[in-house]
Amino acid sequence: MSRDRDLAEELVQSTCVRALERGAQYTSGTRIDRWLFAILHSIWISELRSRHVRMGQGFVASEELIAPDYREQDDACLHYQTLMQRVNALPEAQRNTVFLVYVEGFTYREAAETLAVPIGTIMSRLAAAWAMLAKPADAQSPQREKRS
């Protein structure tokens, strides 16, 4: 989420601390990874809001990221890295939904509960993400995400 290793480590530490402080809120028998991600997501949103207030900044634009040297990498690795750059360029809500469903293996319902949105919003975000990723890379332009 943060695209920064140090910030990601702080986020994980904050999540662990909050989980320990609020351990009584965990419902035994439910997926702990969902509960932990919900905590992490909440902390991250708070961090983004306070960062925006402090510095007027949010995420670093994907164009500003340093491009790795691809000369000695094979085509499969290059394809994977290109895909990940395109996924990272998605609006935050779509990107988080893609990672929860396709990387973490959450069901649509679990992702909806974790992100505190209706299940239809999850389906809408995934459809929008797929539409963006299906376009040729040079046709993809940065857009503001509509509230979904």
Side-chain angles (χ1 to χ4, degrees):
M1 283 186 188
S2 70
R3 299 181 185 177
D4 177 287
R5 184 177 179 87
D6 294 332
L7 188 56
E9 287 177 4
E10 287 181 33
L11 187 58
V12 169
Q13 288 175 359
S14 297
T15 300
C16 291
V17 168
R18 187 165 300 169
L20 289 171
E21 291 172 347
R22 299 181 183 178
Q25 294 176 353
Y26 173 68
T27 305
S28 183
T30 61
R31 288 184 57 175
I32 195 163
D33 59 337
R34 245 181 56 205
W35 182 66
L36 290 171
F37 186 84
I39 293 170
L40 183 136
H41 187 258
S42 173
I43 293 170
W44 177 242
I45 294 300
S46 296
E47 170 62 25
L48 284 180
R49 287 181 183 140
S50 49
R51 182 186 308 174
H52 181 69
V53 169
R54 285 191 313 262
M55 298 184 286
Q57 294 178 332
F59 278 99
V60 175
S62 60
E63 301 84 42
E64 296 176 21
L65 297 175
I66 298 173
D69 184 4
Y70 294 123
R71 288 177 284 187
E72 296 188 22
Q73 298 173 346
D74 63 2
D75 289 339
C77 186
L78 177 60
H79 177 73
Y80 170 77
Q81 289 181 336
T82 301
L83 177 62
M84 289 308 300
Q85 285 178 340
R86 293 189 65 203
V87 169
N88 282 331
L90 291 171
E92 180 185 5
Q94 290 177 11
R95 185 177 58 249
N96 289 344
T97 303
V98 165
F99 280 117
L100 282 178
V101 173
Y102 296 115
V103 177
E104 296 297 330
F106 284 29
T107 65
Y108 288 4
R109 181 172 312 287
E110 291 169 336
E113 290 171 2
T114 300
L115 297 173
V117 297
I119 197 168
T121 300
I122 296 297
M123 297 185 325
S124 173
R125 288 177 181 176
L126 291 173
W130 274 109
M132 287 295 292
L133 294 172
K135 292 179 184 178
D138 56 355
Q140 191 173 6
S141 61
Q143 297 179 1
R144 294 271 183 220
E145 180 188 14
K146 295 179 182 173
R147 286 176 122 334
S148 50

